Amino acid sequence: SEEEIVGWTSRTIRSDVSLRYKANPELPRDVLFNEDVARLQVEEGDVLVLTEGPMDAMKIAMYGEGCAAVALLGVAVSKEKFSRVVKIAAAARAVICLLDQDILSSNLRLMSQLEEVVRGERVKIGRLPVGAKDPGDLTQSQVQELTREWGHI
């Protein structure tokens, strides 16, 4: 299959800037960041980690052990996108919802919906370390510690 660029996103590394992300406004609603790679990884036994943004997923993918990360690209999950998440989640040995802490209600709603279609005991909410608001802000050692915990699920 031929790969195609469907959108772009960027994130500042400066803490004094209020606009942290900038993304392509024309990105299709059903896109999941890192979907193809994650699908292959869960087939090999990895835990699926759902994040909100691509930088969050990249951090988990770079430093996590035994984890496949997919970014939902926001908290509004269309039926088409949810269907694609379910297909990947069904093959995963566990699913961790690791959305930003400021959107806990979205974490709970997504987890509840996934529990209905995937064996519920395998779906968990990932908890960030105290003080962390966003998975993309985690250090390498924090990601490794979290993913070691998930490896026992």
Short mmCIF file of all heavy atoms in Angstrom, two decimals, residues 56 58 77 90 92 97 105 118 126 130:
data_model
loop_
_atom_site.label_atom_id
_atom_site.label_comp_id
_atom_site.label_asym_id
_atom_site.label_seq_id
_atom_site.Cartn_x
_atom_site.Cartn_y
_atom_site.Cartn_z
N ASP A 56 1.73 12.67 22.50
CA ASP A 56 1.55 11.73 23.61
C ASP A 56 1.84 10.31 23.14
O ASP A 56 2.56 9.55 23.79
CB ASP A 56 0.12 11.78 24.15
CG ASP A 56 -0.31 13.18 24.59
OD1 ASP A 56 0.56 14.02 24.89
OD2 ASP A 56 -1.52 13.43 24.61
N MET A 58 3.60 9.41 20.53
CA MET A 58 5.01 9.26 20.18
C MET A 58 5.86 9.01 21.43
O MET A 58 6.79 8.20 21.40
CB MET A 58 5.51 10.49 19.45
CG MET A 58 5.10 10.51 18.00
SD MET A 58 5.96 11.78 17.05
CE MET A 58 4.84 13.15 17.24
N VAL A 77 -14.71 11.48 19.28
CA VAL A 77 -14.44 10.25 18.54
C VAL A 77 -15.68 9.90 17.72
O VAL A 77 -16.72 9.56 18.26
CB VAL A 77 -14.07 9.11 19.50
CG1 VAL A 77 -13.82 7.82 18.74
CG2 VAL A 77 -12.85 9.48 20.33
N ALA A 90 -9.62 -5.09 20.04
CA ALA A 90 -10.04 -6.49 20.12
C ALA A 90 -8.85 -7.44 20.04
O ALA A 90 -8.88 -8.53 20.61
CB ALA A 90 -11.05 -6.80 19.02
N ALA A 92 -5.75 -6.60 21.10
CA ALA A 92 -4.78 -6.28 22.16
C ALA A 92 -5.06 -7.11 23.42
O ALA A 92 -6.21 -7.44 23.70
CB ALA A 92 -4.85 -4.79 22.50
N CYS A 97 -6.55 3.58 28.50
CA CYS A 97 -6.99 4.92 28.08
C CYS A 97 -6.13 5.92 28.85
O CYS A 97 -6.28 6.06 30.06
CB CYS A 97 -8.46 5.14 28.39
SG CYS A 97 -9.56 4.04 27.47
N SER A 105 -13.60 13.04 32.14
CA SER A 105 -14.92 12.56 31.73
C SER A 105 -14.85 11.88 30.37
O SER A 105 -15.53 10.88 30.13
CB SER A 105 -15.94 13.70 31.71
OG SER A 105 -15.56 14.67 30.76
N VAL A 118 -15.45 -4.69 23.92
CA VAL A 118 -14.23 -5.47 24.15
C VAL A 118 -14.37 -6.03 25.56
O VAL A 118 -14.97 -5.40 26.41
CB VAL A 118 -12.98 -4.55 24.07
CG1 VAL A 118 -11.71 -5.33 24.31
CG2 VAL A 118 -12.92 -3.85 22.74
N GLY A 126 -5.37 4.69 32.42
CA GLY A 126 -4.00 4.90 32.86
C GLY A 126 -3.92 6.14 33.72
O GLY A 126 -4.55 7.15 33.43
N VAL A 130 1.76 11.95 39.72
CA VAL A 130 1.31 13.18 40.38
C VAL A 130 1.99 14.39 39.74
O VAL A 130 3.19 14.38 39.53
CB VAL A 130 1.62 13.12 41.90
CG1 VAL A 130 1.26 14.44 42.58
CG2 VAL A 130 0.87 11.97 42.55
#
